[in-house]
């Protein structure tokens, strides 16, 4: 279950904002359909990993990034359901991935530290 290690990495990224944010209220992740990340398992891992951190109780928003490839033979762009599907236009298996392998922390929202008067 590599989702737990991903959740721990996310916590480390969030902790880097402790100097500017008193509390993190929400975070947004982009997860590609070809990233091999199970959304349910990641949500479960984050639920545990965020306990006791400045992001405890934060809303987790996940955007799914659909796979997009471009055939290297005919230049046709298509959304294959798996990594091994050929180009529907010419049947070639040679493709360049344009999207869908993503896994990134896109946005963090929170409450800033109170400023001294």
């Amino acid at each position: 279950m590599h989702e737990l290690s991903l959740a721990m990495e996310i916590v480390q990224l969030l902790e880097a904002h402790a100097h500017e944010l008193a509390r993190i209220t929400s975070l947004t992740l982009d997860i590609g359909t070809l990233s091999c990340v199970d959304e349910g398992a990641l949500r479960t891992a984050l639920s545990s990993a965020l306990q006791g951190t400045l992001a405890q109780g934060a809303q987790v928003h996940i955007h799914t990034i659909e796979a997009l490839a471009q055939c290297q033979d005919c230049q046709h762009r298509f959304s294959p359901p798996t990594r091994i599907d050929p180009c529907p236009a010419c049947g070639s298996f040679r493709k360049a991935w344009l999207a869908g392998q993503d896994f990134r922390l896109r946005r963090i929202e929170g409450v800033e530290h109170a400023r001294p008067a």
Side-chain angles (χ1 to χ4, degrees), residues 29-98:
L29 301 167
D30 290 337
I31 301 178
T33 56
L34 299 175
S35 68
C36 299
V37 175
D38 180 275
E39 181 180 333
L42 181 62
R43 284 187 184 277
T44 299
L46 277 170
S47 175
S48 294
L50 294 177
Q51 295 300 313
T53 72
L54 72 155
Q56 182 173 331
Q59 292 183 335
V60 177
H61 305 282
I62 295 179
H63 290 139
T64 301
I65 309 297
E66 295 298 324
L68 179 64
Q70 182 169 342
C71 178
Q72 292 181 328
D73 291 329
C74 74
Q75 307 310 308
H76 178 72
R77 287 185 177 203
F78 61 104
S79 296
T82 69
R83 291 183 181 274
I84 61 171
D85 287 295
C87 172
C90 73
S92 173
F93 286 93
R94 293 176 8 99
K95 57 187 158 280
W97 293 106
L98 305 176

